[in-house]
Amino acid sequence: MVIVVRHSARREDVAALTAFLTAQGVSVTPVPGERSTLLAVVGDTSRLDDDRVAGFAAVEAVRRITEPLPLAGRGAHPADSVVEVGGVPVGAGHFALIAGPCSVESREQLLPLAASLRAAGAQLLRGGAYKPRTSPYHFQGLGEEGLALLREARAATGLPIVTEIVDPRQLPLFEDVDLIQVGARNMQNFELLKELGRIDTPVLLKRGPSATLKELLLAAEYILSGGNGRVILCERGVRSFDTATRYLLDLSAVAVLHERTHLPVIVDPSHAAGAARYVPSLSLAAVAAGADGLMLEVHPDPAAALSDGAQALLPADFAALAKQIKALRAALTESGD
Amino acid sequence: MVIVVRHSARREDVAALTAFLTAQGVSVTPVPGERSTLLAVVGDTSRLDDDRVAGFAAVEAVRRITEPLPLAGRGAHPADSVVEVGGVPVGAGHFALIAGPCSVESREQLLPLAASLRAAGAQLLRGGAYKPRTSPYHFQGLGEEGLALLREARAATGLPIVTEIVDPRQLPLFEDVDLIQVGARNMQNFELLKELGRIDTPVLLKRGPSATLKELLLAAEYILSGGNGRVILCERGVRSFDTATRYLLDLSAVAVLHERTHLPVIVDPSHAAGAARYVPSLSLAAVAAGADGLMLEVHPDPAAALSDGAQALLPADFAALAKQIKALRAALTESGD
Amino acid sequence: MVIVVRHSARREDVAALTAFLTAQGVSVTPVPGERSTLLAVVGDTSRLDDDRVAGFAAVEAVRRITEPLPLAGRGAHPADSVVEVGGVPVGAGHFALIAGPCSVESREQLLPLAASLRAAGAQLLRGGAYKPRTSPYHFQGLGEEGLALLREARAATGLPIVTEIVDPRQLPLFEDVDLIQVGARNMQNFELLKELGRIDTPVLLKRGPSATLKELLLAAEYILSGGNGRVILCERGVRSFDTATRYLLDLSAVAVLHERTHLPVIVDPSHAAGAARYVPSLSLAAVAAGADGLMLEVHPDPAAALSDGAQALLPADFAALAKQIKALRAALTESGD
Amino acid sequence: MVIVVRHSARREDVAALTAFLTAQGVSVTPVPGERSTLLAVVGDTSRLDDDRVAGFAAVEAVRRITEPLPLAGRGAHPADSVVEVGGVPVGAGHFALIAGPCSVESREQLLPLAASLRAAGAQLLRGGAYKPRTSPYHFQGLGEEGLALLREARAATGLPIVTEIVDPRQLPLFEDVDLIQVGARNMQNFELLKELGRIDTPVLLKRGPSATLKELLLAAEYILSGGNGRVILCERGVRSFDTATRYLLDLSAVAVLHERTHLPVIVDPSHAAGAARYVPSLSLAAVAAGADGLMLEVHPDPAAALSDGAQALLPADFAALAKQIKALRAALTESGD
């Protein structure tokens, strides 16, 4: 951390700042310049609150040099992590194909779909039982009935299940879910994150639509610091000024996150695209970028979907895409040696 | 709502779409064009789910003409609403000055501050007891002790209190809070909004950092449709590409929201600026834009603040600003006639 | 400037970097830390190219501490500048009201309008003769005929004229223009800026829709370093994710720019709003924020306007707004003492 | 185009609007609703100016249904275009690998580099002779000397050359350039685009950092409507709120542009990443997304580069990446059948 001291700072204000920093266990080296003095702060700055430092009277600006990520960062954990989800490994070269409908709608919708997804190569089944919707007047999910149908589909196909939690009070209902999803809108629902830190079910943490990658990693840090190290990160598009797609898929997030963290990184192109016809292009791109998995929305009859039908692939299109992904991964593995 | 039909749509797919729409109680007029057909949909489209319509095979695009806001919109409620907060009216010409520390830190911090704010013209006292922080390693608030100190400050000064809720399970603790704040990160914590719709305490709903104004109004609709009509909206800055300020304060939100909704609209310049020295300029601008109130962070000793010290005004600066605001409002009222 | 040295940097790479920096006339202090070494660079870093420094093998990251603004910055020029435009002072407490149509369309449109604007209090007359339009199929301006009409309006009313240049080859035509406008899309048309640095006509430099304030100031630096110190900056809205207004007016730019530069700062609410009904609210806000002037679009018959009619005020609305602005400025001046 | 008529519109204002539209050669169908009337406008609306329509007193809102792209759009030209650049075809399945230094710096830098790029599989040589730089104090390019060195490198290697123009007055110097680049900052330098429409050299048009895809296509329309149909589009990253990469590469642009236009679409990952270590991941992603080419920055000694060294690949890294791209394209072609 580097602190720029105000030109006009009083000697006692600088002393107060230095005393505060030293008390936090870091060491401080002043570097005098022509216009202003810098304080170079070294040691474990991960628990220092930049905003609090910035509040001192002597401070003009605070610049972070290293990310304050004691658990999610590569510093303490250089090797890639593998997160096991119901027996399926994700990360460190293990690629996971997650597929399913946006919302669980009925047994007739879910069970045949799950079987066909499995046949096409999906390794995990996704489906929403509790749906966070922008408008209160839209379908909010089947709730517990949806969870029961997911369990039934898991029993029938053997696919572990992924579904979204939207309230800490729902945790007892999610006990046997294989991968609990935290949606983009809840990425900074810190009370929910704290609760997920206390269990040991794997968590799929989606990036908020205006979250920086640093904020995503700090949200993961909430779960990790609670004691649950089984976190998978998911890029799903950020807000942008162009409405050509629903969100702007940030595929540079894959390389940047892989550099900064050991946690697996997957990509959800369906929500970013908002239109099924763009999903294959973005899926292949995410795989080539080095993602550890994909989460894709598939529906047997998008026109009848109760949510997000426009972005759902048909099962046959998913099967064709899964084949292409396989070929692509083989080519990348061979040529990357 | 206008629906663009795909050039290549099959007759039966168009029929399926039309049948679905008619069943929702709206009427459909086809307008044939050279390249594509439009369907003009009229009637009460507020409960129609655009995404669901977009999922139909025949649909190329869906364009909303009017906002689906049955309760927050001006349609059903043309006159400005007034929300009473502990006896203080907000909205429809009633301007509210809300001030206090970012976090409640101690009796020594809060009580003298509250007295000085009251003397300077503040009408409501803000203070955080539960703090949603980006990093798990930073100060998370005093919790219940903070709420108790706020009550004590209210008893001492008569100022109604405003404080943030971060979890639906905290509701019993907030029973006698005068104005319950939903922070920007929780704007789309729909389960929390639903709970707040079931009580009748006024709610201060802050705009999420990447929420459109339409999404903010739909979040308000969650509370209103639950039965609680006492909602105040708050602009507090959105994410932008420039880091010159912490967030980019969107003062056009004041005029746009006043046009679309009858709910009061206040502005929080402190969080947007992230630096106290920009707060007076932005506060005066918000007042001139027509805001129904301001929420300002004030701290007796910003250097010792446990959160967001850099953006806190000193009590004396707040008093000077309050005087300017009063003069400004007087000039606007006179010259606006 | 602070440079973070890679953990794995070779000794000779660090030496090469240090030698390069020293050769540029700055001094370098290494600050060893646990995980990485910092180099604190002090002296005149304004001409150092961050990107070039970042290219050195030893470098992990470069952080700027002070802005590289030798001429636009407050460092060398602490007092506010006043720019005289055809006898009208702008800046340092001198407020300028600039008004006129988006495009000059005809004598019948311009001359009576200019007279009414003058009567209502406008001090400068704006009007586009060369129009940069997003589509090649839209009205591109009257060109030289438009310039001639502006001169005629100036002769009739005494109002100095403001009009946009879009190509360095047009400069001879702009010789007697009082204030040459560089539009948002040309803010980084550096060849044009260099030409404007060689003349001494005042320049109105509009912020690009995704330009940071630092980039705006560096664009000004192009003109200043050429020898023309008469630059006025203009905030006109940035790109955002919300389409509620055409652009998002950044009123924090007023306080931030006033802090960093001595150049006058005006605001154009018309282009940001994109709708005349939001212009009064944003205009008053800009004045209260401390802008040194406003640029407003006014048209006698917006429905017949050849460009941007939707955002044009009627002359009567402009007159009412000008009155309010005057009252507001009086209140601010009195209460600010 | 759909026009929403104001609820309170007067009959004569609607008549004026309808008369205007009819005079433009389109037909107008009114669709009365409960709250407002819609006008469905069909026919060739490509030359209609939305903003002008929005200026009519009767108009509440204007919604575009189809893009106004008579020449760049798929409507008039359904098949993919191939643009020949010095004998190298680009588009419609022809993939072009463009590589070279950010700036041409010297014969010693350029000639051996060009030979090694050619050996590694590059098909076109890029290099900047005129550099648009954010700061006036940074290296501005070698100018004519740089162009001469590019010609020399072309003569030595047979690689056609790509270089950026920054001013319409430079056109005579660019006569024998194989592909003239319009940089992101000049995407809406319409006077430059008009000049490029009058010649028949191929043009590489880069997307501006906050340009929508529609605006990029309209900029292309400027060149096409002048008579030059040889335009290649280039995605190079947009402005975002996260500074993890220099710009946010928008790989959904590839699929969206391919849907809307017949023009070839290439990707520049170097400028978006801003750091060489992210370039391979983004390059492979762009290829998998379906780009018609890549433009990559390569430098023999990034630490000595006069501009953008941090994002330049070493020649050996480029060669390894070119091999991977080849393998990837082969896998995509086979599995896509």
Side-chain angles (χ1 to χ4, degrees):
Chain A
M1 179 184 280
V2 174
I3 299 169
V4 189
V5 175
R6 272 181 207 292
H7 187 58
S8 57
R10 293 178 307 164
R11 193 175 295 233
E12 60 264 38
D13 287 339
V14 179
L17 171 63
T18 307
F20 167 77
L21 292 167
T22 311
Q24 309 282 317
V26 294
S27 76
V28 182
T29 306
V31 184
E34 276 167 42
R35 294 233 300 266
S36 54
T37 293
L38 301 183
L39 300 181
V41 180
V42 293
D44 178 9
T45 59
S46 65
R47 284 166 175 81
L48 265 186
D49 180 350
D50 302 23
D51 290 334
R52 189 158 174 200
V53 173
F56 276 80
V59 175
E60 180 166 322
V62 178
R63 295 278 186 287
R64 271 274 168 198
I65 302 301
T66 48
E67 302 275 343
L69 297 169
L71 300 172
R74 288 274 185 192
H77 193 308
D80 287 350
S81 285
V82 179
V83 175
E84 292 253 351
V85 178
V88 175
V90 185
H94 301 281
F95 181 88
L97 199 49
I98 309 174
C102 178
S103 298
V104 175
E105 294 168 11
S106 68
R107 180 172 294 112
E108 293 64 40
Q109 172 225 31
L110 189 65
L111 270 79
L113 176 61
S116 79
L117 294 173
R118 193 209 152 104
Q123 289 144 290
L124 299 170
L125 175 67
R126 66 145 286 149
Y130 296 93
K131 300 299 304 172
R133 304 302 303 278
T134 303
S135 164
Y137 307 118
H138 297 166
F139 177 61
Q140 307 272 322
L142 291 186
E144 291 193 47
E145 189 191 334
L147 291 178
L149 289 171
L150 283 168
R151 282 186 205 103
E152 209 176 315
R154 174 172 60 188
T157 61
L159 294 176
I161 55 177
V162 188
T163 193
E164 180 171 357
I165 192 167
V166 295
D167 186 331
R169 295 171 300 184
Q170 294 166 341
L171 261 173
L173 302 169
F174 280 67
E175 261 179 14
D176 69 341
V177 166
D178 299 289
L179 180 58
I180 301 180
Q181 177 179 321
V182 176
R185 292 183 185 87
N186 279 312
M187 189 199 88
Q188 292 191 318
N189 183 337
F190 300 119
E191 302 308 307
L192 179 59
L193 301 181
K194 286 175 191 169
E195 294 287 353
L196 294 169
R198 292 185 192 113
I199 61 174
D200 65 355
T201 309
V203 176
L204 181 64
L205 180 64
K206 296 186 100 173
R207 179 184 187 183
S210 67
T212 61
L213 296 175
K214 179 178 165 183
E215 288 168 341
L216 171 61
L217 290 166
L218 284 168
E221 200 79 23
Y222 264 92
I223 304 172
L224 298 171
S225 66
N228 185 354
R230 307 172 76 190
V231 175
I232 300 172
L233 305 174
C234 181
E235 161 63 28
R236 46 74 76 199
V238 294
R239 269 276 148 89
S240 176
F241 55 84
D242 198 343
T243 55
T245 49
R246 199 173 183 184
Y247 291 94
L248 174 47
L249 193 65
D250 175 8
L251 286 175
S252 55
V254 176
V256 175
L257 288 173
H258 275 159
E259 179 182 58
R260 294 194 194 165
T261 184
H262 54 90
L263 299 172
V265 178
I266 73 164
V267 173
D268 169 356
S270 302
H271 278 87
R277 64 194 185 276
Y278 303 140
V279 169
S281 165
L282 289 173
S283 298
L284 297 171
V287 171
D292 298 306
L294 282 181
M295 183 149 80
L296 295 168
E297 291 197 356
V298 188
H299 197 285
D301 182 6
L306 296 179
S307 60
D308 285 349
Q311 72 202 33
L313 296 173
L314 284 165
D317 296 333
F318 171 74
L321 178 57
K323 236 183 77 187
Q324 275 206 299
I325 289 168
K326 210 174 156 185
L328 191 64
R329 283 189 40 79
L332 287 167
T333 309
E334 282 165 38
S335 67
D337 289 336
Chain B
M1 180 183 281
V2 174
I3 298 169
V4 189
V5 175
R6 273 181 207 294
H7 187 59
S8 57
R10 293 178 307 167
R11 193 176 295 234
E12 59 265 35
D13 287 339
V14 179
L17 171 63
T18 307
F20 167 78
L21 292 167
T22 311
Q24 308 285 316
V26 294
S27 77
V28 181
T29 308
V31 184
E34 274 164 45
R35 294 234 301 265
S36 55
T37 293
L38 303 183
L39 300 181
V41 180
V42 292
D44 178 9
T45 60
S46 65
R47 282 165 177 81
L48 264 186
D49 180 350
D50 302 23
D51 290 334
R52 187 158 176 200
V53 173
F56 276 79
V59 175
E60 181 167 321
V62 178
R63 296 276 185 290
R64 272 275 167 196
I65 302 301
T66 47
E67 302 275 344
L69 296 169
L71 300 172
R74 289 273 186 193
H77 193 307
D80 287 350
S81 284
V82 179
V83 175
E84 292 252 351
V85 179
V88 175
V90 185
H94 300 281
F95 182 87
L97 198 50
I98 310 174
C102 179
S103 299
V104 175
E105 295 168 11
S106 68
R107 179 172 294 110
E108 293 64 41
Q109 172 224 31
L110 189 64
L111 271 78
L113 177 61
S116 78
L117 295 173
R118 193 208 152 105
Q123 289 143 292
L124 300 170
L125 175 67
R126 67 146 285 150
Y130 297 92
K131 299 299 303 173
R133 304 301 303 277
T134 304
S135 164
Y137 307 117
H138 296 165
F139 176 61
Q140 307 272 321
L142 291 185
E144 291 193 46
E145 189 192 333
L147 292 178
L149 289 171
L150 283 168
R151 281 186 206 104
E152 208 176 315
R154 176 174 57 189
T157 61
L159 294 176
I161 56 176
V162 188
T163 194
E164 181 171 357
I165 192 167
V166 295
D167 186 331
R169 295 171 300 184
Q170 294 166 340
L171 261 173
L173 303 170
F174 279 67
E175 262 180 13
D176 69 340
V177 166
D178 299 289
L179 178 59
I180 301 179
Q181 177 179 322
V182 176
R185 294 183 184 87
N186 279 312
M187 189 199 88
Q188 293 192 318
N189 183 337
F190 299 119
E191 302 308 307
L192 180 59
L193 301 181
K194 286 176 192 169
E195 294 287 353
L196 294 169
R198 291 185 194 112
I199 60 174
D200 65 356
T201 309
V203 176
L204 180 65
L205 180 64
K206 294 185 100 173
R207 181 185 186 183
S210 67
T212 61
L213 295 175
K214 179 178 165 182
E215 289 168 340
L216 171 61
L217 290 167
L218 284 167
E221 199 79 24
Y222 264 92
I223 304 171
L224 298 171
S225 66
N228 184 356
R230 307 171 75 189
V231 176
I232 299 172
L233 305 173
C234 181
E235 160 63 28
R236 48 74 75 197
V238 295
R239 268 276 147 89
S240 178
F241 55 85
D242 199 342
T243 55
T245 49
R246 201 173 184 183
Y247 291 93
L248 174 47
L249 193 67
D250 175 9
L251 286 176
S252 54
V254 176
V256 175
L257 288 172
H258 275 158
E259 178 182 60
R260 294 194 195 167
T261 184
H262 53 90
L263 299 171
V265 178
I266 72 163
V267 173
D268 169 357
S270 302
H271 278 88
R277 63 194 185 277
Y278 303 140
V279 169
S281 164
L282 289 173
S283 298
L284 296 172
V287 171
D292 297 306
L294 282 181
M295 183 149 79
L296 294 168
E297 291 196 358
V298 187
H299 197 286
D301 181 7
L306 297 179
S307 61
D308 285 350
Q311 72 202 30
L313 296 173
L314 285 165
D317 296 334
F318 171 75
L321 179 57
K323 236 182 79 186
Q324 274 205 301
I325 290 168
K326 207 172 157 186
L328 192 63
R329 283 189 41 78
L332 288 166
T333 309
E334 282 165 37
S335 66
D337 289 334
Chain C
M1 180 184 282
V2 174
I3 300 170
V4 189
V5 175
R6 273 181 205 292
H7 187 58
S8 57
R10 294 180 305 167
R11 193 176 295 234
E12 59 264 36
D13 287 339
V14 179
L17 171 63
T18 307
F20 167 78
L21 292 167
T22 310
Q24 309 283 316
V26 293
S27 75
V28 181
T29 307
V31 184
E34 275 166 43
R35 294 232 303 265
S36 54
T37 293
L38 302 184
L39 300 181
V41 180
V42 293
D44 179 8
T45 60
S46 66
R47 282 166 176 80
L48 265 186
D49 180 349
D50 302 24
D51 290 335
R52 187 158 176 200
V53 173
F56 277 79
V59 175
E60 182 168 321
V62 178
R63 296 276 186 290
R64 271 277 168 195
I65 302 301
T66 47
E67 302 276 343
L69 297 169
L71 299 172
R74 289 272 186 193
H77 194 309
D80 287 350
S81 285
V82 179
V83 175
E84 292 252 351
V85 179
V88 175
V90 184
H94 301 280
F95 182 88
L97 197 51
I98 309 173
C102 179
S103 299
V104 174
E105 295 168 9
S106 68
R107 180 172 293 112
E108 293 64 40
Q109 171 225 31
L110 189 65
L111 271 78
L113 177 61
S116 78
L117 294 173
R118 192 209 154 104
Q123 287 144 292
L124 300 170
L125 175 66
R126 66 146 286 152
Y130 297 92
K131 300 299 304 172
R133 303 301 303 276
T134 304
S135 165
Y137 306 118
H138 296 166
F139 177 62
Q140 307 272 323
L142 291 185
E144 292 193 46
E145 189 191 334
L147 292 178
L149 289 171
L150 283 168
R151 281 185 206 104
E152 208 176 316
R154 175 174 58 189
T157 61
L159 294 176
I161 55 177
V162 188
T163 193
E164 180 171 358
I165 192 167
V166 295
D167 186 329
R169 296 171 299 185
Q170 293 166 343
L171 262 173
L173 303 169
F174 279 67
E175 263 179 13
D176 69 342
V177 166
D178 299 289
L179 178 59
I180 301 180
Q181 177 178 323
V182 176
R185 294 183 184 86
N186 279 314
M187 189 200 87
Q188 293 191 317
N189 184 337
F190 299 119
E191 301 310 308
L192 180 58
L193 300 182
K194 287 175 192 169
E195 294 288 353
L196 294 169
R198 291 185 194 112
I199 60 175
D200 65 355
T201 309
V203 176
L204 180 64
L205 180 63
K206 295 186 101 173
R207 180 185 187 183
S210 67
T212 60
L213 295 175
K214 180 178 164 180
E215 289 168 341
L216 171 60
L217 290 168
L218 283 167
E221 200 80 23
Y222 264 92
I223 304 171
L224 297 172
S225 65
N228 184 355
R230 307 172 75 188
V231 176
I232 299 172
L233 305 173
C234 181
E235 160 64 29
R236 47 73 77 197
V238 295
R239 267 277 146 89
S240 177
F241 55 85
D242 198 343
T243 55
T245 48
R246 201 174 184 182
Y247 291 94
L248 174 48
L249 193 65
D250 175 9
L251 287 176
S252 54
V254 176
V256 175
L257 288 172
H258 275 158
E259 179 181 60
R260 295 195 194 165
T261 185
H262 54 89
L263 299 171
V265 178
I266 72 163
V267 172
D268 169 357
S270 302
H271 279 87
R277 64 194 186 278
Y278 303 140
V279 169
S281 165
L282 289 173
S283 298
L284 296 172
V287 171
D292 298 307
L294 283 181
M295 183 149 79
L296 294 168
E297 290 195 359
V298 187
H299 197 284
D301 181 5
L306 296 179
S307 61
D308 286 349
Q311 72 202 32
L313 295 173
L314 285 165
D317 296 332
F318 170 75
L321 178 57
K323 236 183 77 187
Q324 274 206 299
I325 290 168
K326 207 172 159 187
L328 191 63
R329 284 189 39 80
L332 288 166
T333 309
E334 282 165 38
S335 66
D337 289 334
Chain D
M1 179 184 280
V2 174
I3 299 168
V4 189
V5 175
R6 272 181 209 292
H7 188 60
S8 56
R10 293 177 307 166
R11 192 176 294 235
E12 59 264 37
D13 288 337
V14 179
L17 170 64
T18 308
F20 167 78
L21 292 166
T22 310
Q24 309 283 316
V26 294
S27 77
V28 182
T29 308
V31 184
E34 276 165 44
R35 293 233 301 264
S36 55
T37 294
L38 302 183
L39 300 181
V41 180
V42 294
D44 178 9
T45 60
S46 66
R47 283 169 175 78
L48 264 185
D49 180 350
D50 302 23
D51 289 334
R52 188 158 175 200
V53 173
F56 276 80
V59 175
E60 180 166 322
V62 178
R63 296 277 185 287
R64 270 275 168 198
I65 303 301
T66 48
E67 302 275 344
L69 297 168
L71 300 172
R74 288 274 186 193
H77 194 306
D80 287 349
S81 285
V82 179
V83 175
E84 293 252 352
V85 179
V88 175
V90 185
H94 300 281
F95 182 89
L97 198 49
I98 310 174
C102 178
S103 298
V104 175
E105 294 168 12
S106 68
R107 180 173 294 111
E108 294 64 40
Q109 171 224 34
L110 189 65
L111 270 81
L113 177 62
S116 78
L117 294 173
R118 193 208 152 104
Q123 288 144 291
L124 300 170
L125 175 67
R126 65 146 286 151
Y130 297 92
K131 301 298 305 170
R133 305 301 303 277
T134 304
S135 165
Y137 307 118
H138 296 166
F139 178 60
Q140 308 271 321
L142 291 185
E144 291 193 47
E145 189 192 334
L147 291 178
L149 289 171
L150 283 168
R151 280 185 208 105
E152 208 176 316
R154 175 172 60 189
T157 60
L159 294 176
I161 55 176
V162 188
T163 194
E164 180 170 359
I165 192 167
V166 295
D167 186 330
R169 294 170 299 184
Q170 294 167 340
L171 261 173
L173 303 170
F174 279 67
E175 261 179 14
D176 70 341
V177 166
D178 299 289
L179 179 59
I180 301 179
Q181 177 179 322
V182 177
R185 293 183 184 86
N186 279 313
M187 190 199 88
Q188 293 192 318
N189 184 337
F190 300 119
E191 301 310 306
L192 179 59
L193 300 182
K194 286 175 192 169
E195 294 287 353
L196 294 169
R198 290 183 195 116
I199 61 175
D200 66 356
T201 309
V203 177
L204 180 64
L205 180 64
K206 296 187 100 173
R207 180 185 187 183
S210 67
T212 61
L213 296 175
K214 180 178 164 182
E215 288 167 340
L216 171 61
L217 291 167
L218 284 167
E221 199 80 23
Y222 264 92
I223 304 171
L224 298 171
S225 66
N228 184 355
R230 308 172 76 189
V231 176
I232 300 173
L233 305 173
C234 181
E235 161 62 29
R236 46 76 74 198
V238 294
R239 268 277 148 88
S240 177
F241 55 85
D242 199 344
T243 55
T245 49
R246 200 172 182 183
Y247 291 94
L248 174 47
L249 193 66
D250 175 9
L251 286 176
S252 55
V254 176
V256 175
L257 288 173
H258 275 159
E259 179 181 60
R260 295 195 194 164
T261 183
H262 54 90
L263 299 171
V265 178
I266 73 163
V267 172
D268 169 357
S270 302
H271 278 88
R277 64 194 187 277
Y278 303 140
V279 169
S281 165
L282 288 173
S283 298
L284 297 171
V287 171
D292 297 307
L294 282 180
M295 183 148 80
L296 294 168
E297 291 196 357
V298 187
H299 197 285
D301 181 5
L306 296 179
S307 61
D308 285 350
Q311 73 202 30
L313 295 173
L314 284 165
D317 296 333
F318 171 74
L321 179 57
K323 237 184 77 188
Q324 274 206 301
I325 289 168
K326 209 174 157 185
L328 191 65
R329 284 190 38 81
L332 287 167
T333 309
E334 282 165 37
S335 67
D337 287 336

